[in-house]
DNA sequence: ACGGTTTGGTTGTAGCGTCAACTAAAGCCT
DNA sequence: AGGCTTTAGTTGACGCTACAACCAAACCGT
């Protein structure tokens, strides 16, 4: 199988993208840990719950939203439970399912963490871009995401037209 | 402190970028593990060595190129050594330093892994973009990277054109 | 040349994520 | 009703990474 290698433009764009992908998670994680004692993933879990009806989600749906395996989510939610940021209880309609609900303490934690997080998002990415570039980034991600996420597991997050069956 | 929240365009672009950042490493990792038995990080370490003079680098420099702590690199290079893909030896000029050199087996491994990896890069990202978008991505990353990498730790990767071989 | 500091790297420990195995409830078929 | 399959989630063991402590070589001022 003969390989189409990358030309100079492609190679440069790719390496820069890889650098961003490599550095961005660490930047977000560092700020959140320092200022709020949360990993980025933990913050994201709490943020998803904070936007859900009743601040409650089934584990499976929460896993889809956060791109986590059920195993990972089970471990993380147990720790968040032990820290009093969420609580878990068996779903009344389906005895197999577990619901995770944000506690008042968890809500306060998200509310306090959000400004600093948004500030980091601005400082590292958005404020560095012109409005045109924000639009271009939008379009580039739209072109790439169907290939990265063919099953549209994360579509609820990035596609406004996605069916948001979060409520059930 | 007043928070400048994200407007709709910013929020949409941000969520899409986050989805890409979340999904891309997994996609690369899955393909490389399946086809070559390497994590993406291990592949990247071998690729950096493959382009270095004598296929040899000091641990510290290799750590900079791969954005890894020395601790992480020490563990990974020990495993790669045990698998016979690299070898380590004390640097003659500086007794403190350790040099890592790609073995012939390591070289063969990289050469075998590269086409599939480049194929994945094309399939997931580059082939989804128009040439204009590749240029835009280039510019967007250029705007963002000084903020993500103020110390220019990874600048060698994304700034100057590097030796044009396998290093994607 | 010698004591303190800095630099380069390794090791131990603990936390997080993954894989495989498991439990339990729900659905389905007859 | 009884039994098989599917779905939801948890648990335990193991691998990888970060943090801290550590060791050794090189550097530096006196």
């Amino acid at each position: 199988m003969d390989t189409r290698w990358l030309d100079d433009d492609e190679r440069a764009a790719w390496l820069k993208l890889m650098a961003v992908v490599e550095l961005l998670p660490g930047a977000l994680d560092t700020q959140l840990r320092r200022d709020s004692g949360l990993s980025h993933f933990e913050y994201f879990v709490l943020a998803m719950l904070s936007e859900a009806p009743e601040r409650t989600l089934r584990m499976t749906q929460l896993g889809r939203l956060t791109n986590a395996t059920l195993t990972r989510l089970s471990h993380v939610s147990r720790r968040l439970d032990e820290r009093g940021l969420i609580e878990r209880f068996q779903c009344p309609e389906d005895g197999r399912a577990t619901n995770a609900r944000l506690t008042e303490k968890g809500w306060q934690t998200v509310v306090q963490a959000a400004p600093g997080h948004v500030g980091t998002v601005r400082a590292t990415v958005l404020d560095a871009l012109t409005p045109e570039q924000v639009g271009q980034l939008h379009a580039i991600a739209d072109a790439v995401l169907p290939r990265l996420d063919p099953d549209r597991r994360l579509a609820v997050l990035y596609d406004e037209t996605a069916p948001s069956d979060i409520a059930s």
Side-chain angles (χ1 to χ4, degrees), chain A:
Chain A
M1 191 161 60
D2 37 324
T3 303
R4 275 173 60 220
W5 298 98
L6 307 184
D7 66 34
D8 287 351
D9 275 358
E10 290 172 329
R11 183 186 154 84
W14 173 250
L15 287 176
K16 286 170 198 282
L17 176 60
M18 284 309 296
V20 171
V21 166
E22 178 73 25
L23 293 167
L24 190 48
L28 301 177
D29 227 63
T30 299
Q31 181 270 326
L32 278 167
R33 274 187 201 283
R34 173 169 44 84
D35 297 343
S36 305
L38 296 169
S39 71
H40 180 248
F41 181 72
E42 289 169 335
Y43 171 80
F44 205 76
V45 167
L46 299 184
M48 289 303 104
L49 285 175
S50 75
E51 295 180 359
E54 309 287 325
R55 296 174 191 169
T56 303
L57 285 173
R58 299 253 274 253
M59 294 291 280
T60 300
Q61 288 159 340
L62 189 53
R64 281 180 60 95
L65 286 173
T66 57
N67 192 36
T69 62
L70 221 39
T71 298
R72 179 183 185 186
L73 191 60
S74 183
H75 287 305
V76 169
S77 62
R78 178 179 44 73
R79 288 170 218 138
L80 291 174
D81 193 339
E82 288 164 359
R83 292 166 64 181
L85 300 177
I86 70 170
E87 53 193 359
R88 292 177 295 168
F89 57 96
Q90 198 175 33
C91 177
E93 293 96 6
D94 187 336
R96 299 168 297 181
T98 303
N99 282 335
R101 179 168 49 208
L102 202 59
T103 63
E104 181 59 25
K105 182 180 174 188
W107 169 258
Q108 294 299 332
T109 300
V110 178
V111 167
Q112 284 164 9
H117 178 59
V118 171
T120 306
V121 170
R122 285 207 171 282
T124 53
V125 178
L126 292 175
D127 285 354
L129 304 179
T130 66
E132 292 76 30
Q133 286 179 316
V134 172
Q136 292 167 359
L137 179 56
H138 201 111
I140 288 170
D142 277 341
V144 167
L145 280 169
R147 292 161 178 250
L148 280 175
D149 187 20
D151 300 335
R152 298 178 59 77
R153 292 172 31 83
L154 297 189
V156 194
L157 289 182
Y158 59 76
D159 189 342
E160 304 81 5
T161 70
S164 73
D165 54 353
I166 297 178
S168 76

